[in-house]
Amino acid sequence: MSHTRSHSADGVTKIRGEYWPQLRARRRGAGDDGANTGRPSDGDTVVERRTRPETRTKKPPMYKVILLNDDYTPMEFVVEILKVVFNKQHAEATRIMLHVHQNGMGVAGVFPYEIAETKVRTVEELARQSEFPLKCVMEKA
């Protein structure tokens, strides 16, 4: 594929019948007015850029997922729930489990509504499958 190039006196290169401005000359600072001051010359048109006001999406309301203590669910099961459902490391899961055991309840995590709801259902489903009465609730953070 061959390109036909010809240069005209005004600094425009003709490639296959189309005219393209010489970008190299503009990058070196040879603008229309020759001064390259960053301000338009007398013959240039100034165009203001109108932008829409920046819109930000609100962060979703967060909900605490709370494990409730009972006298029948083994501590090891609660630790496993915290590791599997809430992706906690063993040490942190043990700390949360002890907090639940000593205080009657403890926060397993804080999530947007849909995620918190899913985690509550998952915990209660796993507890029911294992025949433990572990309860999990959520409340607005």
Side-chain angles (χ1 to χ4, degrees), residues 70-132:
D70 64 71
D71 294 333
Y72 302 101
T73 305
M75 294 179 183
E76 296 82 19
F77 181 77
V78 176
V79 170
E80 285 304 310
I81 288 288
L82 288 163
K83 288 165 64 175
V84 172
V85 178
F86 297 96
N87 299 317
K88 303 292 184 187
Q89 296 295 319
H90 185 76
E92 187 179 6
T94 302
R95 184 187 60 75
I96 294 170
M97 177 274 301
L98 287 172
H99 183 82
V100 170
H101 180 68
Q102 293 166 354
N103 299 305
M105 66 174 68
V107 176
V110 180
F111 307 97
Y113 181 82
E114 290 82 8
I115 295 172
E117 186 178 43
T118 302
K119 291 196 183 281
V120 167
R121 267 191 267 132
T122 303
V123 167
E124 291 189 343
E125 179 67 26
L126 291 171
R128 190 166 27 88
Q129 287 174 0
S130 299
E131 299 179 358
F132 295 123

Side-chain angles (χ1 to χ4, degrees), residues 13-29:
T13 303
K14 183 177 180 182
I15 302 175
R16 286 197 295 165
E18 296 180 29
Y19 289 91
W20 296 88
Q22 288 286 53
L23 295 178
R24 268 191 236 126
R26 291 195 182 262
R27 272 189 252 140
R28 285 191 211 125

Side-chain angles (χ1 to χ4, degrees), residues 8-75:
S8 64
D10 62 351
V12 175
T13 303
K14 183 177 180 182
I15 302 175
R16 286 197 295 165
E18 296 180 29
Y19 289 91
W20 296 88
Q22 288 286 53
L23 295 178
R24 268 191 236 126
R26 291 195 182 262
R27 272 189 252 140
R28 285 191 211 125
D32 291 335
D33 61 356
N36 195 23
T37 61
R39 285 180 253 145
S41 65
D42 293 333
D44 288 342
T45 303
V46 175
V47 178
E48 286 186 37
R49 176 177 284 168
R50 293 184 184 206
T51 58
R52 288 186 216 147
E54 187 174 324
T55 57
R56 293 193 176 251
T57 55
K58 286 187 356 182
K59 291 185 178 179
M62 302 300 275
Y63 289 81
K64 293 187 270 187
V65 176
I66 300 170
L67 293 175
L68 304 177
N69 189 34
D70 64 71
D71 294 333
Y72 302 101
T73 305
M75 294 179 183

